[in-house]
C-alpha cells in the first residue's frame, strides 16, 4: 500500500462521510446556494442530481488520466478555474 493519510485528513473524511457539516466556521453564515437546493430537491424526489455532479460511479480511466496529465503539466493555464458562466467554446457548442 501507499502512505497512510494524516490523522486530520482521516478525521475530516470520517466527518464528511457521516453527513455532519464540514463547512468552515467563517462561511456558515452565508446563504444557501442554488447547488445545495438542487441537491436537496434531487434527494427529496429520488432524481439524478445534475446540479453538482455527484455520480455514484467512478470516472472512466481516460478522464482520470487526462486530469492527472493536466495537474502535472507545467502549463499554468491548465490549472485555473473556469469563468462562472462556463468555458466560452463549450457554452457556444452547447
Amino acid at each position: 500500500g501507499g502512505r497512510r493519510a494524516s490523522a486530520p485528513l482521516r478525521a475530516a473524511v470520517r466527518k464528511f462521510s457521516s453527513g455532519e457539516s464540514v463547512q468552515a466556521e467563517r462561511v456558515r453564515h452565508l446563504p444557501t446556494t442554488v447547488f445545495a437546493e438542487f441537491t436537496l430537491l434531487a434527494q427529496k424526489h429520488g432524481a439524478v442530481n445534475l446540479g453538482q455532479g455527484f455520480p455514484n460511479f467512478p470516472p472512466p480511466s481516460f478522464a482520470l488520466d487526462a486530469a492527472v496529465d493536466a495537474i502535472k503539466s507545467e502549463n499554468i493555464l491548465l490549472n485555473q478555474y473556469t469563468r462562472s458562466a462556463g468555458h466560452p467554446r463549450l457554452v457556444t457548442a452547447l
Side-chain angles (χ1 to χ4, degrees):
R3 277 185 10 196
R4 185 177 165 114
S6 68
L9 178 58
R10 288 192 313 271
V13 168
R14 275 193 309 275
K15 185 172 185 175
F16 181 76
S17 299
S18 74
E20 290 182 58
S21 175
V22 291
Q23 286 183 320
E25 194 67 41
R26 68 183 179 277
V27 298
R28 289 192 182 154
H29 71 281
L30 297 175
T32 301
T33 67
V34 67
F35 301 109
E37 292 178 30
F38 288 164
T39 298
L40 292 173
L41 285 169
Q43 289 172 343
K44 178 180 176 182
H45 297 284
V48 174
N49 181 359
L50 300 177
Q52 287 183 284
F54 287 126
N56 62 354
F57 51 88
S61 60
F62 73 86
L64 294 172
D65 294 341
V68 169
D69 290 346
I71 291 167
K72 289 182 175 180
S73 171
E74 292 181 14
N75 181 347
I76 62 170
L77 296 177
L78 294 178
N79 292 298
Q80 304 297 316
Y81 287 107
T82 187
R83 66 189 191 108
S84 61
H87 191 280
R89 285 178 48 202
L90 178 59
V91 169
T92 300
L94 293 173

